[in-house]
């Protein structure tokens, strides 16, 4: 079996490997092939490219190519001849995971979407902060963090979630952030799906999904997670808030994820 893990905007493959992989292995076992690629302009993927390269469908196609290569290298078989994949994505990674499944770029039969932030609108209000950060990085590099702290958008986010605002500041200190600023400017301009009808294609094809929300998270509104869950006919689980403790939120995520994976694994075995 193969599980694909996808990180969030400005993070890298270490994020889901640290947060999600231990739970996956606890359920699926150490033989599970876990693939966690760096998305373009993140982590070890050093190439930035052009604005058009950051369209979600292009990012999904690049991820699919990487997965196909790694599965064939690890198993000696093409991915389409292997067992169906499970994909787990965080924020931006959830949007890429959705495109992978909707566009049938990989044979996915289970998907977990953690704190989705994208919907059917380009640059929704909850993502407008990222192009602001991106432009400040272009103009001033890491020093742009000082100006960002003075912006109204930062104060608005900090009023709702101090932890969320602190997390946004890490975009200024991430490796090679200024050179990679295009990712923050362009990726939020994408739509994850075109309509609720498009979301409904996944359950009709038998793809089982779980959607994970977190309260008081201005970048990842619960309302977006609720819309995903409704369209995907998927259960929605809600974590504790990050401001109540990151460790607690991570622990609750692990509990929900383990339960869902175990239940869907049992169903997978029955159907298989």
């Amino acid at each position: 079996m193969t599980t694909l893990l996808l990180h969030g905007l400005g993070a890298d493959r270490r994020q889901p490997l640290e947060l999600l992989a231990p739970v996956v292995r606890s359920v699926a076992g150490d033989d599970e092939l876990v693939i966690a690629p760096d998305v373009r302009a993140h982590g070890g993927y050093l190439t930035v490219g052009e604005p058009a390269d950051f369209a979600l469908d292009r990012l999904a196609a690049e991820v699919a190519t990487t997965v196909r290569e790694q599965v064939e290298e690890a198993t000696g078989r093409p991915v389409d001849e292997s067992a169906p994949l499970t994909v787990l994505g965080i924020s931006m990674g959830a949007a890429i995971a959705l495109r992978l499944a909707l566009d049938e770029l990989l044979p996915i039969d289970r998907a977990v979407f953690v704190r989705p932030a994208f919907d059917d609108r380009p640059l929704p209000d909850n993502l407008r902060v990222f192009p602001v950060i991106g432009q400040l990085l272009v103009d001033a590099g890491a020093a742009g963090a000082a100006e960002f702290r003075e912006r109204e958008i930062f104060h608005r986010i900090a009023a709702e979630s101090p932890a969320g605002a602190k997390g946004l500041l890490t975009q200024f200190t991430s490796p090679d952030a200024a050179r990679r600023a295009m990712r923050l400017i362009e990726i939020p301009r994408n739509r994850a799906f075109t309509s609720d009808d498009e979301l409904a294609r996944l359950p009709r094809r038998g793809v089982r999904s779980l959607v994970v929300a977190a309260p008081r998270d201005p970048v990842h509104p619960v309302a977006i997670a609720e819309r995903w869950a409704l369209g995907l006919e998927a259960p929605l689980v809600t974590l504790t808030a990050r401001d109540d403790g990151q460790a607690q939120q991570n622990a609750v995520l692990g509990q929900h994820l383990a339960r869902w994976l175990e239940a869907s694994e049992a169903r997978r075995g029955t159907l298989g």
Side-chain angles (χ1 to χ4, degrees), residues 40-59:
R40 172 181 288 268
H42 291 78
Y45 196 135
L46 302 181
T47 302
V48 176
E50 303 299 326
D53 293 321
F54 291 95
L56 281 176
D57 57 351
R58 290 201 184 186
L59 296 177

Side-chain angles (χ1 to χ4, degrees), residues 3-246:
T3 296
L4 170 62
L5 307 179
L6 296 170
H7 63 79
L9 180 57
D12 60 41
R13 65 192 302 269
R14 292 173 298 178
Q15 180 196 38
L17 283 173
E18 293 170 1
L19 182 61
L20 306 176
V23 182
V24 170
R25 293 200 182 281
S26 72
V27 174
D30 292 335
D31 292 337
E32 183 79 359
L33 176 60
V34 175
I35 298 175
D38 285 318
V39 175
R40 172 181 288 268
H42 291 78
Y45 196 135
L46 302 181
T47 302
V48 176
E50 303 299 326
D53 293 321
F54 291 95
L56 281 176
D57 57 351
R58 290 201 184 186
L59 296 177
E62 289 181 343
V63 167
T65 297
T66 298
V67 172
R68 289 180 178 279
E69 291 171 351
Q70 292 192 20
V71 168
E72 187 160 3
E73 181 180 353
T75 68
R77 294 179 296 170
V79 68
D80 299 298
E81 297 178 10
S82 303
L85 277 75
T86 300
V87 59
L88 297 82
I90 302 168
S91 190
M92 175 193 75
I96 294 174
L98 183 67
R99 292 316 321 165
L100 286 168
L102 285 171
D103 297 337
E104 300 185 65
L105 298 175
L106 292 170
I108 293 167
D109 73 340
R110 299 191 302 180
V112 178
F113 305 109
V114 180
R115 295 184 295 116
F118 295 71
D119 57 17
D120 59 347
R121 299 166 294 167
L123 200 60
D125 288 345
N126 59 296
L127 296 181
R128 289 184 181 275
V129 66
F130 289 104
V132 172
I133 296 172
Q135 192 59 53
L136 287 170
L137 280 167
V138 170
D139 295 341
E147 182 177 344
F148 180 58
R149 287 178 179 272
E150 300 301 319
R151 295 287 184 96
E152 189 274 337
I153 194 169
F154 175 80
H155 290 294
R156 188 169 69 246
I157 290 171
E160 184 174 354
S161 173
K166 183 178 179 180
L168 289 171
L169 288 170
T170 65
Q171 297 287 352
F172 290 93
T173 56
S174 64
D176 212 8
R179 189 181 69 86
R180 295 169 157 179
M182 191 185 297
R183 66 191 181 186
L184 302 180
I185 296 171
E186 296 299 331
I187 292 175
R189 303 182 190 280
N190 282 264
R191 299 184 299 174
F193 54 92
T194 58
S195 67
D196 295 335
D197 287 340
E198 187 180 26
L199 289 177
R201 283 167 41 195
L202 285 194
R204 286 200 296 264
R205 293 206 331 254
V207 178
R208 298 185 298 284
S209 303
L210 173 70
V211 181
V212 180
R216 306 200 312 274
D217 187 335
V219 174
H220 310 91
V222 171
I224 288 181
E226 290 173 338
R227 185 175 179 191
W228 282 50
L230 183 63
L232 295 167
E233 300 176 18
L236 173 69
V237 297
T238 303
L239 309 177
T240 55
R242 192 194 307 189
D243 289 284
D244 294 336
Q246 186 67 67

